[in-house]
Amino acid sequence: GAGVSQTPSNKVTEKGKYVELRCDPISGHTALYWYRQSLGQGPEFLIYFQGTGAADDSGLPNDRFFAVRPEGSVSTLKIQRTERGDSAVYLCASSLTSGRDGELFFGEGSRLTVL
Amino acid sequence: SQQGEEDPQALSIQEGENATMNCSYKTSINNLQWYRQNSGRGLVHLILIRSNEREKHSGRLRVTLDTSKKSSSLLITASRAADTASYFCASGGSNYKLTFGKGTLLTVNP
């Protein structure tokens, strides 16, 4: 596709369950970001990939959160033992270079609700 | 954590008026970017200004950057109802990530 694709667009789960959120970036974009956005707030950085490797995972809130990008394209954000406080919109973005040098292209987000 | 702060948090104007939003950031930057977000949607890039630039224009958008004050402003001229959205500034530093502010909710009344 032409843009960043995120699935699912909505996910409702119960506390304690495991969740996977998928991001398909723009073809050829080597940089991939995950952000989390709570209601009324700006996006908060979670993790940045350059190629297959996580170049910066300093924004992951705790060890329940993990992300992979095994082939340098599609990325999956994994959340274990979900908590109600994990409810938010998870945004994925990709870039030809990185935020240091150019714009990010965002997907529509995956809205996660933990009951 | 969020580095930037937008001011005001909310702004309501009439169609045809100009809208000015301000942004402050904390650390040194390579660039400062502005994004727009319609309710329930993803963010869309509007304009990027580099740290060695002071002003930049794109259509009805004008961005200024004052690195000595660590601040930027976004001016939207001749606003339209379709400009109603949240606007975020984002600072790009040496660490490859963009750090976003909390945003300004702009409402343009027809």
Side-chain angles (χ1 to χ4, degrees):
Chain A
V4 177
S5 175
Q6 291 189 246
T7 55
S9 54
N10 277 286
K11 176 70 177 179
V12 180
T13 191
E14 292 179 344
K15 181 173 177 284
K17 298 291 188 183
Y18 170 80
V19 166
E20 286 191 355
L21 306 175
R22 175 189 167 107
C23 173
D24 201 337
I26 293 172
S27 178
H29 281 191
T30 57
L32 185 145
Y33 298 79
W34 284 99
Y35 283 83
R36 179 167 73 172
Q37 187 176 26
S38 300
L39 191 64
Q41 301 293 313
E44 290 190 289
F45 171 79
L46 295 177
I47 187 169
Y48 158 64
F49 287 90
Q50 185 58 251
T52 60
D56 184 347
D57 64 358
S58 61
L60 295 178
N62 51 59
D63 61 6
R64 295 186 298 105
F65 288 74
F66 190 71
V68 295
R69 195 186 186 198
E71 298 177 357
S73 178
V74 171
S75 175
T76 305
L77 178 66
K78 307 180 181 192
I79 310 173
Q80 298 178 322
R81 304 182 304 280
T82 52
E83 299 177 356
R84 292 195 179 89
D86 299 336
S87 296
V89 176
Y90 290 81
L91 296 166
C92 177
S94 70
S95 175
L96 199 55
T97 54
S98 76
R100 187 184 72 170
D101 304 307
E103 67 182 279
L104 302 190
F105 294 83
F106 281 84
E108 295 289 303
S110 291
R111 180 177 298 277
L112 174 66
T113 303
V114 182
L115 302 176
Chain B
S1 63
Q2 294 180 299
Q3 175 178 208
E5 290 284 340
E6 281 91 342
D7 169 50
Q9 289 187 324
L11 179 61
S12 182
I13 60 174
Q14 295 300 122
E15 215 167 19
E17 294 180 340
N18 295 342
T20 299
M21 288 160 269
N22 303 296
C23 163
S24 61
Y25 57 92
K26 296 178 183 174
T27 61
S28 62
I29 60 170
N30 287 347
N31 67 71
L32 194 290
Q33 303 184 30
W34 285 88
Y35 287 78
R36 166 197 168 122
Q37 185 178 38
N38 285 61
S39 181
R41 306 296 298 273
L43 283 82
V44 175
H45 179 264
L46 294 176
I47 194 166
L48 179 153
I49 185 166
R50 302 199 181 280
S51 59
N52 60 353
E53 298 176 311
R54 291 296 167 259
E55 188 171 312
K56 199 162 184 179
H57 296 254
S58 177
R60 294 185 295 114
L61 305 180
R62 172 179 171 253
V63 169
T64 62
L65 179 64
D66 187 335
T67 53
S68 67
K69 295 180 180 177
K70 291 186 167 59
S71 68
S72 173
S73 68
L74 171 68
L75 169 67
I76 304 174
T77 60
S79 64
R80 305 166 182 167
D83 293 331
T84 295
S86 291
Y87 292 82
F88 296 91
C89 69
S91 52
S94 60
N95 57 2
Y96 302 97
K97 68 186 184 189
L98 281 186
T99 304
F100 286 82
K102 295 182 179 180
T104 292
L105 176 59
L106 173 66
T107 302
V108 181
N109 302 299

